[in-house]
mmCIF file of all heavy atoms in Angstrom:
data_model
loop_
_atom_site.group_PDB
_atom_site.id
_atom_site.type_symbol
_atom_site.label_atom_id
_atom_site.label_comp_id
_atom_site.label_asym_id
_atom_site.label_seq_id
_atom_site.Cartn_x
_atom_site.Cartn_y
_atom_site.Cartn_z
ATOM 1 N N TYR A 211 -14.824 69.532 15.008
ATOM 2 C CA TYR A 211 -15.768 69.328 13.906
ATOM 3 C C TYR A 211 -15.053 69.203 12.567
ATOM 4 O O TYR A 211 -15.695 69.218 11.519
ATOM 5 C CB TYR A 211 -16.756 70.497 13.867
ATOM 6 C CG TYR A 211 -17.442 70.713 15.181
ATOM 7 C CD1 TYR A 211 -17.057 71.747 16.028
ATOM 8 C CD2 TYR A 211 -18.460 69.865 15.603
ATOM 9 C CE1 TYR A 211 -17.670 71.934 17.260
ATOM 10 C CE2 TYR A 211 -19.093 70.054 16.831
ATOM 11 C CZ TYR A 211 -18.687 71.094 17.654
ATOM 12 O OH TYR A 211 -19.294 71.269 18.865
ATOM 13 N N LEU A 212 -13.736 69.092 12.592
ATOM 14 C CA LEU A 212 -12.971 68.912 11.357
ATOM 15 C C LEU A 212 -12.760 67.432 11.091
ATOM 16 O O LEU A 212 -12.733 66.616 12.005
ATOM 17 C CB LEU A 212 -11.614 69.611 11.461
ATOM 18 C CG LEU A 212 -11.649 71.127 11.686
ATOM 19 C CD1 LEU A 212 -10.231 71.652 11.857
ATOM 20 C CD2 LEU A 212 -12.328 71.827 10.519
ATOM 21 N N ASN A 213 -12.616 67.068 9.827
ATOM 22 C CA ASN A 213 -12.334 65.681 9.472
ATOM 23 C C ASN A 213 -10.958 65.295 9.995
ATOM 24 O O ASN A 213 -10.005 66.080 9.916
ATOM 25 C CB ASN A 213 -12.376 65.495 7.953
ATOM 26 C CG ASN A 213 -13.764 65.730 7.393
ATOM 27 O OD1 ASN A 213 -14.740 65.583 8.104
ATOM 28 N ND2 ASN A 213 -13.851 66.084 6.113
ATOM 29 N N THR A 214 -10.843 64.101 10.533
ATOM 30 C CA THR A 214 -9.545 63.585 10.990
ATOM 31 C C THR A 214 -9.003 62.620 9.937
ATOM 32 O O THR A 214 -9.750 61.836 9.355
ATOM 33 C CB THR A 214 -9.701 62.858 12.334
ATOM 34 O OG1 THR A 214 -10.693 61.831 12.201
ATOM 35 C CG2 THR A 214 -10.125 63.824 13.418
ATOM 36 N N PHE A 215 -7.701 62.678 9.710
ATOM 37 C CA PHE A 215 -7.080 61.861 8.663
ATOM 38 C C PHE A 215 -6.013 60.974 9.266
ATOM 39 O O PHE A 215 -5.387 61.315 10.270
ATOM 40 C CB PHE A 215 -6.454 62.763 7.589
ATOM 41 C CG PHE A 215 -7.418 63.775 7.019
ATOM 42 C CD1 PHE A 215 -7.368 65.112 7.393
ATOM 43 C CD2 PHE A 215 -8.388 63.387 6.117
ATOM 44 C CE1 PHE A 215 -8.243 66.038 6.884
ATOM 45 C CE2 PHE A 215 -9.284 64.311 5.598
ATOM 46 C CZ PHE A 215 -9.205 65.637 5.975
ATOM 47 N N SER A 216 -5.816 59.831 8.638
ATOM 48 C CA SER A 216 -4.786 58.896 9.098
ATOM 49 C C SER A 216 -3.404 59.462 8.784
ATOM 50 O O SER A 216 -3.250 60.366 7.956
ATOM 51 C CB SER A 216 -4.959 57.533 8.428
ATOM 52 O OG SER A 216 -4.876 57.677 7.014
ATOM 53 N N GLU A 217 -2.403 58.891 9.446
ATOM 54 C CA GLU A 217 -1.023 59.341 9.228
ATOM 55 C C GLU A 217 -0.627 59.098 7.780
ATOM 56 O O GLU A 217 -0.862 58.029 7.225
ATOM 57 C CB GLU A 217 -0.095 58.584 10.176
ATOM 58 C CG GLU A 217 1.347 59.073 10.123
ATOM 59 C CD GLU A 217 2.201 58.355 11.149
ATOM 60 O OE1 GLU A 217 1.638 57.561 11.928
ATOM 61 O OE2 GLU A 217 3.422 58.589 11.143
ATOM 62 N N GLY A 218 -0.020 60.066 7.171
ATOM 63 C CA GLY A 218 0.386 59.949 5.778
ATOM 64 C C GLY A 218 -0.629 60.511 4.811
ATOM 65 O O GLY A 218 -0.361 60.601 3.615
ATOM 66 N N ASN A 219 -1.826 60.885 5.304
ATOM 67 C CA ASN A 219 -2.849 61.480 4.452
ATOM 68 C C ASN A 219 -2.659 62.993 4.463
ATOM 69 O O ASN A 219 -2.835 63.647 5.488
ATOM 70 C CB ASN A 219 -4.236 61.105 4.974
ATOM 71 C CG ASN A 219 -5.342 61.542 4.014
ATOM 72 O OD1 ASN A 219 -5.158 62.427 3.179
ATOM 73 N ND2 ASN A 219 -6.499 60.905 4.130
ATOM 74 N N PRO A 220 -2.311 63.583 3.324
ATOM 75 C CA PRO A 220 -2.023 65.035 3.285
ATOM 76 C C PRO A 220 -3.270 65.902 3.153
ATOM 77 O O PRO A 220 -3.147 67.115 2.947
ATOM 78 C CB PRO A 220 -1.134 65.152 2.045
ATOM 79 C CG PRO A 220 -1.637 64.086 1.131
ATOM 80 C CD PRO A 220 -2.080 62.946 2.017
ATOM 81 N N SER A 221 -4.462 65.331 3.233
ATOM 82 C CA SER A 221 -5.690 66.119 3.084
ATOM 83 C C SER A 221 -5.765 67.180 4.176
ATOM 84 O O SER A 221 -5.232 67.012 5.275
ATOM 85 C CB SER A 221 -6.918 65.212 3.137
ATOM 86 O OG SER A 221 -6.881 64.260 2.084
ATOM 87 N N LEU A 222 -6.473 68.276 3.851
ATOM 88 C CA LEU A 222 -6.579 69.418 4.755
ATOM 89 C C LEU A 222 -8.043 69.755 4.968
ATOM 90 O O LEU A 222 -8.829 69.777 4.019
ATOM 91 C CB LEU A 222 -5.849 70.627 4.154
ATOM 92 C CG LEU A 222 -5.789 71.908 4.995
ATOM 93 C CD1 LEU A 222 -4.961 71.675 6.246
ATOM 94 C CD2 LEU A 222 -5.204 73.055 4.169
ATOM 95 N N SER A 223 -8.431 69.959 6.237
ATOM 96 C CA SER A 223 -9.804 70.330 6.562
ATOM 97 C C SER A 223 -9.791 71.617 7.372
ATOM 98 O O SER A 223 -8.959 71.779 8.267
ATOM 99 C CB SER A 223 -10.476 69.190 7.344
ATOM 100 O OG SER A 223 -11.821 69.494 7.620
ATOM 101 N N TYR A 224 -10.697 72.557 7.044
ATOM 102 C CA TYR A 224 -10.726 73.835 7.763
ATOM 103 C C TYR A 224 -12.122 74.447 7.690
ATOM 104 O O TYR A 224 -12.966 74.036 6.887
ATOM 105 C CB TYR A 224 -9.686 74.811 7.209
ATOM 106 C CG TYR A 224 -9.742 75.025 5.712
ATOM 107 C CD1 TYR A 224 -10.556 76.008 5.162
ATOM 108 C CD2 TYR A 224 -8.962 74.249 4.852
ATOM 109 C CE1 TYR A 224 -10.600 76.222 3.790
ATOM 110 C CE2 TYR A 224 -8.993 74.444 3.491
ATOM 111 C CZ TYR A 224 -9.813 75.437 2.955
ATOM 112 O OH TYR A 224 -9.854 75.629 1.607
ATOM 113 N N ILE A 225 -12.361 75.417 8.590
ATOM 114 C CA ILE A 225 -13.629 76.149 8.642
ATOM 115 C C ILE A 225 -13.339 77.619 8.342
ATOM 116 O O ILE A 225 -12.409 78.204 8.917
ATOM 117 C CB ILE A 225 -14.286 76.022 10.034
ATOM 118 C CG1 ILE A 225 -14.576 74.552 10.353
ATOM 119 C CG2 ILE A 225 -15.577 76.837 10.110
ATOM 120 C CD1 ILE A 225 -15.048 74.320 11.788
ATOM 121 N N ILE A 226 -14.109 78.216 7.438
ATOM 122 C CA ILE A 226 -13.925 79.626 7.084
ATOM 123 C C ILE A 226 -15.268 80.339 7.247
ATOM 124 O O ILE A 226 -16.337 79.720 7.263
ATOM 125 C CB ILE A 226 -13.420 79.800 5.638
ATOM 126 C CG1 ILE A 226 -14.418 79.181 4.645
ATOM 127 C CG2 ILE A 226 -12.048 79.165 5.477
ATOM 128 C CD1 ILE A 226 -14.077 79.459 3.181
ATOM 129 N N ASN A 227 -15.195 81.695 7.372
ATOM 130 C CA ASN A 227 -16.424 82.493 7.371
ATOM 131 C C ASN A 227 -16.653 83.054 5.977
ATOM 132 O O ASN A 227 -15.912 82.738 5.033
ATOM 133 C CB ASN A 227 -16.360 83.586 8.426
ATOM 134 C CG ASN A 227 -15.176 84.535 8.210
ATOM 135 O OD1 ASN A 227 -14.572 84.559 7.127
ATOM 136 N ND2 ASN A 227 -14.834 85.298 9.230
ATOM 137 N N SER A 228 -17.665 83.844 5.847
ATOM 138 C CA SER A 228 -18.042 84.356 4.521
ATOM 139 C C SER A 228 -16.983 85.269 3.923
ATOM 140 O O SER A 228 -16.985 85.527 2.717
ATOM 141 C CB SER A 228 -19.378 85.095 4.610
ATOM 142 O OG SER A 228 -19.304 86.146 5.569
ATOM 143 N N LYS A 229 -16.048 85.751 4.760
ATOM 144 C CA LYS A 229 -14.977 86.614 4.257
ATOM 145 C C LYS A 229 -13.720 85.828 3.915
ATOM 146 O O LYS A 229 -12.708 86.426 3.536
ATOM 147 C CB LYS A 229 -14.653 87.687 5.302
ATOM 148 C CG LYS A 229 -15.818 88.637 5.574
ATOM 149 C CD LYS A 229 -15.435 89.682 6.609
ATOM 150 C CE LYS A 229 -16.596 90.634 6.896
ATOM 151 N NZ LYS A 229 -16.238 91.660 7.912
ATOM 152 N N GLY A 230 -13.750 84.500 4.086
ATOM 153 C CA GLY A 230 -12.600 83.679 3.761
ATOM 154 C C GLY A 230 -11.577 83.566 4.867
ATOM 155 O O GLY A 230 -10.481 83.037 4.642
ATOM 156 N N VAL A 231 -11.911 84.058 6.059
ATOM 157 C CA VAL A 231 -10.989 83.961 7.193
ATOM 158 C C VAL A 231 -11.060 82.537 7.768
ATOM 159 O O VAL A 231 -12.146 82.009 7.991
ATOM 160 C CB VAL A 231 -11.340 84.994 8.280
ATOM 161 C CG1 VAL A 231 -10.398 84.846 9.477
ATOM 162 C CG2 VAL A 231 -11.238 86.406 7.708
ATOM 163 N N VAL A 232 -9.899 81.918 8.004
ATOM 164 C CA VAL A 232 -9.831 80.550 8.519
ATOM 165 C C VAL A 232 -10.044 80.587 10.032
ATOM 166 O O VAL A 232 -9.226 81.131 10.774
ATOM 167 C CB VAL A 232 -8.474 79.892 8.175
ATOM 168 C CG1 VAL A 232 -8.425 78.473 8.734
ATOM 169 C CG2 VAL A 232 -8.265 79.885 6.669
ATOM 170 N N LEU A 233 -11.159 79.986 10.486
ATOM 171 C CA LEU A 233 -11.480 79.972 11.910
ATOM 172 C C LEU A 233 -10.782 78.834 12.638
ATOM 173 O O LEU A 233 -10.386 78.959 13.802
ATOM 174 C CB LEU A 233 -12.996 79.844 12.115
ATOM 175 C CG LEU A 233 -13.837 81.123 11.962
ATOM 176 C CD1 LEU A 233 -13.687 81.741 10.587
ATOM 177 C CD2 LEU A 233 -15.295 80.813 12.244
ATOM 178 N N SER A 234 -10.669 77.696 11.966
ATOM 179 C CA SER A 234 -10.009 76.523 12.554
ATOM 180 C C SER A 234 -9.518 75.660 11.413
ATOM 181 O O SER A 234 -10.110 75.657 10.319
ATOM 182 C CB SER A 234 -10.968 75.746 13.464
ATOM 183 O OG SER A 234 -10.290 74.663 14.082
ATOM 184 N N SER A 235 -8.414 74.917 11.658
ATOM 185 C CA SER A 235 -7.830 74.124 10.587
ATOM 186 C C SER A 235 -7.004 72.990 11.177
ATOM 187 O O SER A 235 -6.496 73.092 12.304
ATOM 188 C CB SER A 235 -6.948 75.000 9.690
ATOM 189 O OG SER A 235 -6.242 74.205 8.743
ATOM 190 N N THR A 236 -6.898 71.876 10.419
ATOM 191 C CA THR A 236 -6.004 70.797 10.841
ATOM 192 C C THR A 236 -4.554 71.249 10.773
ATOM 193 O O THR A 236 -3.695 70.669 11.426
ATOM 194 C CB THR A 236 -6.210 69.562 9.943
ATOM 195 O OG1 THR A 236 -6.116 69.940 8.560
ATOM 196 C CG2 THR A 236 -7.574 68.928 10.193
ATOM 197 N N ASP A 237 -4.282 72.305 9.996
ATOM 198 C CA ASP A 237 -2.970 72.959 9.979
ATOM 199 C C ASP A 237 -3.107 74.257 10.789
ATOM 200 O O ASP A 237 -3.639 75.257 10.311
ATOM 201 C CB ASP A 237 -2.542 73.244 8.543
ATOM 202 C CG ASP A 237 -1.166 73.889 8.472
ATOM 203 O OD1 ASP A 237 -0.492 74.028 9.534
ATOM 204 O OD2 ASP A 237 -0.751 74.266 7.353
#
Side-chain angles (χ1 to χ4, degrees):
Y211 306 103
L212 299 176
N213 295 335
T214 55
F215 306 104
S216 59
E217 186 176 356
N219 188 339
S221 299
L222 183 66
S223 183
Y224 52 88
I225 300 172
I226 59 173
N227 59 16
S228 57
K229 296 180 180 180
V231 178
V232 179
L233 280 59
S234 183
S235 173
T236 52
D237 182 5

